Amino acid sequence: MDLRRKLTVFAALAALGTAAACGGSGSSGGGSGGTVTVSFWNGFTGGDRPGVEHLVDEFNKSHPKIHVNMQIMPWDVFYQKLLPAYGAGKGPDITAMSANQLAEYASKRVFQPLDDAFSSGLIDKSKIVPGALQAGQYAAKQYGLPANFTPLLLYYNKKLFKQAGIAGPPANWTEWTADLKKLTKGKGPGGAPAQYGLTMGTHDSVEGIPILLAGQGGGVIGSDGKTVTLDSPQSVQAMTYWTDLVRNDHVMPVGTSGADADKLMQAGTAAMEVNGPWLTSSLDQAKIDYGVAMVPAGPAAQTTIDDSVQFSVGSRVKGAAKKAAEEFIAFWNSRDSQIYFANTTGFPPTRTDIGAADLKNPNVAVFAKYAPKAVPLMPGQTQFPQMQSEVIDPTFEKILNGKGDPATLLKQGATQLRSMVSGS
């Protein structure tokens, strides 16, 4: 998951230039007996692969006039191959990629808008989680439709909570602060706590710190996609508050990757972590008794960030092939398919009309319950990977490491972001 989010395609995109606009489809067209074959590339090589393969097989069986020819490859291979393939006119008809990468490709005219999937009635827009739709938007058009979608939630170690006399997960920042201090204890190597109240990756990870900014009413970029809010008074206030907890109360380690944060949780040396449903399998393997809850409410809001993979369709896919591609995406997002996918992979459904009674795993039901509260981080930004790796993560880590005061460093970061915002 983290690899998918962090992979960059800067050089490939620059080299591709306008050639991407001429990229052809991989295998669309008539097959034997009038069958339309569409190619589908993705990087679902993990635990979700069996569920993906099952849905593709079911679609092919139930749609005898359409055949989806799927290729699964590691995400790094996927990104290395994708743009050269489109530039050579041999790119796939359908892709599934991180929503964070989508705008960069859409801006190069690699993909085409999919709004007609709504107007044709193939997909009922009102039944899809709003954040999952927002994550696929660029330039006020729907370039992506969800392959998966999840909010980031709070994991908590029930054993450590019980030992500390804490009855359940915190509901707000006041409770969260008290619990974090109570759960941070002991001395480990180098004088660091032997047990942290919280762990959260600040690089090579899904973003957690912006959730804290949003709880105070701040953020990174506003909902208009243009206004940088990283240095707003609310963002500065939130960052100052949490930096004090980290620097003075040592409630969270600094400079951890997403993988390192997971290891602390798996080892039982961190009591809480903000993460997605992919963490559940490793905690189960480590035999950690855990619960999942909504991220505690901040003074201004209770919200969280989402993570999503989005389907897109190549810009040269037309006619019967485009209709076939959209039918496949609609099938994937149907109620029956999403119930199956959720129960098989642990990801919550992309739909709003699937309740806890349809879901076998209570943790999945919690993720589904809070999915409507999740919003994408910086949707539609063509330089998302650069913003994250060159500005956002380094700025947060400098602040938490005490390399400068939050107001000054956030202002510097915001200045960098303003030169990178799409359309600036």
Side-chain angles (χ1 to χ4, degrees), residues 165-188:
I166 302 172
N172 53 55
W173 278 18
T174 300
E175 294 179 5
W176 202 6
T177 299
D179 292 348
L180 289 172
K181 291 179 179 180
K182 189 177 293 187
L183 289 160
T184 301
K185 58 179 65 176
K187 292 293 183 181

Side-chain angles (χ1 to χ4, degrees), residues 90-104:
K90 298 180 180 179
D93 301 306
I94 308 168
T95 64
M97 67 161 59
S98 170
N100 298 337
Q101 302 277 10
L102 180 63
E104 194 164 13

Side-chain angles (χ1 to χ4, degrees), residues 186-194 196 250:
K187 292 293 183 181
Y196 289 99
H250 311 289

Side-chain angles (χ1 to χ4, degrees), residues 1-21:
M1 176 60 66
D2 294 340
L3 178 62
R4 183 188 69 226
R5 290 178 55 90
K6 294 297 293 181
L7 283 170
T8 59
V9 291
F10 314 149
L13 279 164
L16 186 69
T18 58

Side-chain angles (χ1 to χ4, degrees), residues 39 42 55 166 184 334:
S39 55
N42 64 72
L55 286 182
I166 302 172
T184 301
S334 68

Side-chain angles (χ1 to χ4, degrees), residues 12 56 76 82 84 146 168 173 175 180 262 268 278 288 300 308 312 340 351 377 380 414:
V56 171
D76 56 346
L82 189 62
W173 278 18
E175 294 179 5
L180 289 172
D262 293 349
W278 46 87
I288 299 295
S308 178
S312 292
Y340 169 83
R351 298 176 62 95
L377 178 66

